Amino acid sequence: MLTHFWRDSEINQMLQDGQIGKYTIPKGYVNASQMARANGKLLADYTRLKSTKEYLQALENDMGIPISLLVIEVKGHGNEQATWTHLEIAIDLARWVSIPFRIWANRTLLKVMLSTQVEQQPIQEPQDTSKALAPSHEAAQLALLVGEFAGLEKSLTAQLAVNAATSVNPALKPAADELKTAIACTDPSDDAYLNPTQIGEAIGKSAIAVNRWLINAGLQYKTDDRKLPYRPTESGKQWGRMVSAVARGSNQTVFQLRWLPEIVQVICQ
């Protein structure tokens, strides 16, 4: 069993298939009870949500695995009594528990999932090395996986994948720069989104005033990241999205929070 540490709490994950009492817990499953308890939440509050029930049903249909095997309730005494969930459900739970925990859990669980898939593979006969994945390819796949779990736009996820591959293999940079430029220019939907300056021009306010209004309205929040100073809240996601672009002069990928034109009417109400 693998133990992760979140602040002063332990989050257990099955490194291999194992037994807890009379229950078989598959490899990769996470102790969801510990995840909720570590953040002062009740797991039952998450499982009773309509959105959770719909998600579990959709996951059952997609994976062909019954919900009772995706969410395993271990009945016993003391530490044995807990609910263990499939990794994908654990990541969804992390999104509900808290934003800081969501970030930590996504990175931790995905890293473990991918590393154990590689480390725990049985020894096989030598294969054609020409078919083996290059480290840069693996890095790009990880970025794509993270983007998918995080629900990022496809163009944004593609930019992250290119950046990941380039960081592992700098020799790819010339081709990667061309690819990033192409990606940034081939998402026509980005043009429909407005930045705070454009919104301000439409309503007679400065970009600073627009950003302040969006924060006070609960549609965005300020971060400590200079490259991504603002992010949308859950409420703000119905109007805003993170848009990828190429910075002038550096050819580096940057991301900006932009808004649907309808946000102008919302502000003017």
Side-chain angles (χ1 to χ4, degrees):
M1 186 178 298
L2 183 63
T3 300
H4 308 290
F5 293 94
W6 164 247
R7 295 175 179 169
D8 297 327
S9 302
E10 294 183 358
I11 311 294
N12 291 325
Q13 183 178 13
M14 298 300 293
L15 190 57
Q16 293 291 333
D17 294 351
Q19 291 289 133
I20 298 180
K22 62 179 180 179
Y23 300 87
T24 299
I25 310 298
K27 171 186 174 182
Y29 274 47
V30 182
N31 190 319
S33 299
Q34 291 177 329
M35 291 178 63
R37 188 163 53 247
N39 291 274
K41 299 290 185 68
L42 295 176
L43 182 61
D45 290 339
Y46 166 77
T47 56
R48 69 164 60 98
L49 292 174
K50 179 181 178 182
S51 58
T52 300
K53 294 177 181 178
E54 292 175 347
Y55 168 66
L56 294 178
Q57 186 60 62
L59 198 61
E60 176 187 68
N61 296 338
D62 180 71
M63 301 180 69
I65 302 175
I67 295 177
S68 59
L69 295 181
L70 293 171
V71 180
I72 302 176
E73 297 183 6
V74 175
K75 299 178 181 179
H77 301 284
N79 294 333
E80 284 190 357
Q81 184 171 336
T83 298
W84 292 77
T85 66
H86 187 279
L87 182 62
E88 289 192 33
I89 299 174
I91 291 176
D92 185 72
L93 172 61
R95 296 173 63 84
W96 173 82
V97 166
S98 76
I99 291 177
F101 183 75
R102 178 199 308 180
I103 296 172
W104 173 85
N106 284 358
R107 292 174 179 172
T108 301
L109 300 181
L110 283 171
K111 180 179 179 181
V112 170
M113 180 184 72
L114 293 181
S115 63
T116 54
Q117 284 179 349
V118 175
E119 294 171 0
Q120 301 303 323
Q121 286 181 349
I123 298 176
Q124 300 177 350
E125 294 297 322
Q127 298 179 353
D128 183 359
T129 56
S130 64
K131 297 180 180 180
L133 289 180
S136 57
H137 191 170
E138 293 179 341
Q141 284 190 328
L142 174 58
L144 291 172
L145 184 60
V146 172
E148 180 181 353
F149 274 120
L152 301 180
E153 294 290 334
K154 290 183 179 180
S155 61
L156 177 54
T157 301
Q159 294 271 11
L160 293 175
V162 173
N163 288 345
T166 307
S167 65
V168 173
N169 186 356
L172 297 174
K173 189 177 187 305
D177 286 344
E178 293 183 10
L179 182 58
K180 287 193 292 183
T181 301
I183 294 172
C185 296
T186 54
D187 190 353
S189 64
D190 288 353
D191 295 336
Y193 287 77
L194 307 177
N195 61 35
T197 299
Q198 293 168 321
I199 296 172
E201 291 173 351
I203 62 176
K205 293 181 179 293
S206 67
I208 294 177
V210 170
N211 279 322
R212 186 182 302 118
W213 187 95
L214 292 168
I215 291 175
N216 293 335
L219 300 181
Q220 73 175 14
Y221 63 93
K222 190 170 178 58
T223 74
D224 295 327
D225 188 344
R226 292 183 180 180
K227 294 183 179 180
L228 292 171
Y230 297 100
R231 287 183 180 274
T233 62
E234 289 300 321
S235 299
K237 289 180 180 178
Q238 59 183 311
W239 290 291
R241 62 173 280 187
M242 301 305 297
V243 172
S244 60
V246 176
R248 295 178 181 176
S250 66
N251 208 21
Q252 293 183 343
T253 303
V254 294
F255 304 107
Q256 303 171 339
L257 174 55
R258 295 188 182 178
W259 304 88
L260 283 170
E262 287 81 357
I263 196 67
V264 173
Q265 283 71 40
V266 175
I267 296 176
C268 293
Q269 287 178 354

